[in-house]
């Protein structure tokens, strides 16, 4: 607004000054014409006393000043220019007139015919100043300052009202802490950008609250599962020390090793989950799923019969170690709950590489199939993590599948539980 007002002031002063300059020039020319008519009627005196402009001089054909204003007595001719032959009058603005040293004046010349030749009348008056007059400048500047002040005040009120919801959001966010994420920022009543900001902030708080709650549950469950084997080991050791002579130390060592194995498996799973939650980029390579499954199944002897139905040439792009961990977790889970047989299949379907692990156990009800993928989830006794698992294997397996752009789900089967992994198959064969 200040820039606009400055431009307006300059524009107004320029227009007013131009108008005033034109008006004054016309006034000076009119005075010269009037004096010329007086000379033609012999009504001119050597010294004129009643002129209201800066000065008048009458020049005869021989260039002599025959009449002048009282303020120009004794001063030289004010200008040397004359009107051209086409028009009898001319006007100029001179800043170095001999009759008006040190200032700029508007001078009009009017030429007329007398019996003895061409006479010339010069009339002059002060040039209009750039500011026209003090009153006009004062009025224009005062109006501009008032407009700027009103604009500033109005802008302040408008912006303050518009940003009031932002202050409310800021104040609310300042009191929300990591220990209390249940509060939400207020929503403005108008559907504008600030309301969308508040809605986005509330959505972020919802996600943060869910994540923190999930971490709390995870930490609570992890601490409980770590504490259980440690407590059991402590009880066994204390009992053995109290009855040292009667303790079967080799048998107790075997028992302790089982608890240590349980602890080691749990810590390994927790570290794997931490890496998956951190979103570490996998090391991608071309992998044959059938070859991967065969190698993993050959690594150790299983407690139940493992039937293989592997189709070689089904390739995927992924981290071989992570995919091996996925399959191992599914096979370990199936082995714990199988009655006598476990089946591992690999094949290609609809542009996906499929890995299936199916046991012949009691199966999982459809309404519980998603629960088993949650961390530390307990179902019935037949599938409790106390049966040897950590309660994290299936959750890790699903995260690995999803990190490779695939899925892991439990699908229908005639008996037992059928875990199906679907991964995007590689487009070209390995030797391409």
């Amino acid at each position: 607004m200040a820039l606009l007002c400055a431009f307006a002031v300059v524009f107004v002063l320029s227009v007013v000054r131009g108008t005033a300059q034109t008006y004054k020039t016309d006034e000076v020319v009119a005075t010269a014409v009037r004096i010329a008519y007086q000379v033609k009627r012999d009504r001119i005196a050597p010294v004129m006393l009643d002129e209201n402009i800066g000065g008048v001089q009458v020049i005869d054909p021989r260039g002599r000043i025959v009449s002048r204003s009282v303020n120009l007595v004794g001063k030289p001719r004010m200008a040397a220019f004359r009107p051209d032959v086409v028009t009898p009058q001319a006007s100029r603005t001179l800043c170095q007139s001999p009759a008006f040293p040190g200032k700029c004046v508007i001078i009009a010349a009017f030429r007329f015919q007398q019996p003895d030749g061409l006479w010339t009348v010069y009339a002059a008056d002060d040039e209009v100043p750039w500011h026209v007059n003090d009153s006009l400048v004062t009025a224009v500047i005062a109006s501009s300052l008032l407009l700027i002040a009103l604009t500033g005040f109005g802008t302040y009120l408008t912006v303050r009202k518009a940003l009031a919801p932002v202050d409310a959001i800021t104040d609310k966010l300042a009191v929300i802490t990591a220990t209390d994420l249940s509060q939400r920022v207020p929503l403005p009543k108008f559907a504008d950008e600030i309301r969308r900001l508040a809605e986005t902030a509330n959505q972020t708080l919802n996600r943060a609250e869910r994540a923190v709650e999930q971490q709390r549950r995870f930490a609570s469950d992890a601490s409980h599962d770590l504490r259980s084997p440690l407590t059991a080991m402590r009880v066994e050791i204390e009992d053995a020390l109290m009855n040292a002579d009667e303790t079967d130390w080799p048998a107790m060592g075997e028992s302790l090793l089982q608890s240590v194995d349980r602890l080691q498996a749990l810590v390994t799973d927790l570290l794997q989950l931490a890496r998956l939650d951190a979103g570490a980029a996998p090391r991608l390579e071309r992998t044959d799923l059938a070859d991967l499954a065969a190698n993993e199944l050959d690594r150790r002897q299983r407690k139940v019969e493992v039937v293989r139905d592997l189709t070689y040439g089904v390739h995927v792009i992924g981290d071989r170690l992570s995919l091996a961990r996925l399959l191992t977790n599914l096979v370990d889970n199936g082995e714990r709950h199988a009655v006598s047989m476990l089946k591992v299949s690999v094949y290609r379907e609809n542009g996906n590489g499929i890995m299936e692990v199916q046991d012949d156990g009691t199966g999982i009800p459809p309404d519980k199939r998603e629960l088993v993928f949650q961390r530390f989830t307990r179902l019935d006794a037949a599938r409790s993590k106390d049966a040897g698992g950590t309660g994290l294997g299936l959750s890790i397996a699903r995260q690995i599948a999803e990190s490779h752009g695939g899925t892991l789900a439990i699908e229908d089967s005639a008996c037992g539980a059928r875990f199906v992994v679907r991964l995007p198959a590689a487009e070209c064969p390995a030797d391409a």
Side-chain angles (χ1 to χ4, degrees), residues 271-287:
L271 291 175
Q272 179 68 24
L273 280 175
R275 284 192 291 268
L276 291 172
D277 290 340
R283 181 171 175 260
L284 302 180
E285 58 180 312
R286 194 181 192 86
T287 302

Side-chain angles (χ1 to χ4, degrees), residues 233-256:
M233 293 169 64
R234 182 181 182 88
V235 170
E236 291 185 40
I237 294 173
E238 290 177 347
D239 183 63
L241 291 176
M242 291 176 62
N243 303 281
D245 296 337
E246 301 176 3
T247 299
D248 185 352
W249 291 101
M252 193 194 73
E254 291 293 333
S255 178
L256 290 177

Side-chain angles (χ1 to χ4, degrees), residues 244-310:
D245 296 337
E246 301 176 3
T247 299
D248 185 352
W249 291 101
M252 193 194 73
E254 291 293 333
S255 178
L256 290 177
L257 279 177
Q258 292 178 4
S259 296
V260 170
D261 289 340
R262 173 82 179 277
L263 277 175
Q264 185 176 9
L266 185 57
V267 170
T268 300
D269 285 346
L270 289 174
L271 291 175
Q272 179 68 24
L273 280 175
R275 284 192 291 268
L276 291 172
D277 290 340
R283 181 171 175 260
L284 302 180
E285 58 180 312
R286 194 181 192 86
T287 302
D288 188 325
L289 290 180
D291 181 65
L292 173 72
N295 291 336
E296 290 303 311
L297 294 176
D298 290 339
R299 288 181 59 187
R300 64 187 174 106
Q301 196 70 25
R302 293 291 173 177
K303 299 177 182 179
V304 297
E305 179 187 1
V306 178
V307 178
R308 307 183 186 188
D309 182 12
L310 308 178

Side-chain angles (χ1 to χ4, degrees), residues 99-328:
F100 302 95
K103 62 179 180 180
C104 297
V105 292
I106 302 172
I107 299 178
F110 183 80
R111 185 185 59 194
F112 59 97
Q113 182 70 40
Q114 287 285 80
D116 56 347
L118 292 174
W119 287 53
T120 305
V121 176
Y122 290 101
D125 204 354
D126 294 337
E127 183 185 30
V128 178
W130 67 268
H131 59 280
V132 184
N133 59 62
D134 296 339
S135 299
L136 178 62
V137 172
T138 301
V140 171
I141 293 178
S143 301
S144 299
L145 293 177
L146 179 60
L147 182 59
I148 293 171
L150 291 175
T151 302
F153 182 69
T155 303
Y156 170 77
L157 293 180
T158 303
V159 173
R160 182 180 179 182
K161 183 178 180 180
L163 296 183
V166 177
D167 292 336
I169 294 173
T170 302
D171 294 339
K172 179 59 70 174
L173 289 176
V175 301
I176 296 176
T177 63
T179 58
D180 182 15
L181 292 173
S182 61
Q183 301 186 60
R184 296 295 178 265
V185 300
L187 295 178
K189 61 180 180 179
F190 298 108
D192 54 9
E193 292 81 359
I194 299 178
R195 184 181 178 90
R196 291 197 294 272
L197 172 64
E199 291 173 346
T200 303
N202 284 337
Q203 293 171 4
T204 303
L205 290 172
N206 289 336
R207 292 192 295 268
E209 184 179 20
R210 290 195 297 268
V212 170
E213 184 61 28
Q214 183 179 7
Q215 291 296 328
R216 287 173 181 166
R217 290 196 302 267
F218 176 74
S220 176
D221 293 339
S223 63
H224 177 271
D225 280 76
L226 288 172
R227 187 170 59 250
S228 296
L230 288 174
T231 302
M233 293 169 64
R234 182 181 182 88
V235 170
E236 291 185 40
I237 294 173
E238 290 177 347
D239 183 63
L241 291 176
M242 291 176 62
N243 303 281
D245 296 337
E246 301 176 3
T247 299
D248 185 352
W249 291 101
M252 193 194 73
E254 291 293 333
S255 178
L256 290 177
L257 279 177
Q258 292 178 4
S259 296
V260 170
D261 289 340
R262 173 82 179 277
L263 277 175
Q264 185 176 9
L266 185 57
V267 170
T268 300
D269 285 346
L270 289 174
L271 291 175
Q272 179 68 24
L273 280 175
R275 284 192 291 268
L276 291 172
D277 290 340
R283 181 171 175 260
L284 302 180
E285 58 180 312
R286 194 181 192 86
T287 302
D288 188 325
L289 290 180
D291 181 65
L292 173 72
N295 291 336
E296 290 303 311
L297 294 176
D298 290 339
R299 288 181 59 187
R300 64 187 174 106
Q301 196 70 25
R302 293 291 173 177
K303 299 177 182 179
V304 297
E305 179 187 1
V306 178
V307 178
R308 307 183 186 188
D309 182 12
L310 308 178
T311 302
Y312 286 85
V314 180
H315 295 90
V316 297
I317 303 299
D319 186 344
R320 186 180 181 87
L321 293 178
S322 297
L323 294 175
R325 179 65 184 276
L326 184 158
L327 178 61
T328 300

Side-chain angles (χ1 to χ4, degrees), residues 36-112:
Y37 277 104
Q38 291 179 0
V39 171
K40 290 180 70 69
R41 296 176 182 178
D42 294 328
R43 295 180 181 178
I44 193 72
V47 178
M48 293 176 282
L49 302 176
D50 59 346
E51 296 305 322
N52 295 321
I53 61 175
V56 175
Q57 289 179 338
V58 179
I59 310 299
D60 65 9
R62 292 187 292 274
R64 294 178 303 172
I65 302 175
V66 297
S67 180
R68 63 195 60 76
S69 299
V70 65
N71 59 318
L72 294 182
V73 174
K75 291 186 177 181
R77 181 172 171 172
M78 66 174 68
F81 72 91
R82 292 183 179 181
D84 55 30
V85 296
V86 179
T87 59
Q89 65 184 40
S91 60
R92 295 182 185 178
T93 300
L94 300 180
C95 294
Q96 295 181 349
S97 172
F100 302 95
K103 62 179 180 180
C104 297
V105 292
I106 302 172
I107 299 178
F110 183 80
R111 185 185 59 194
F112 59 97

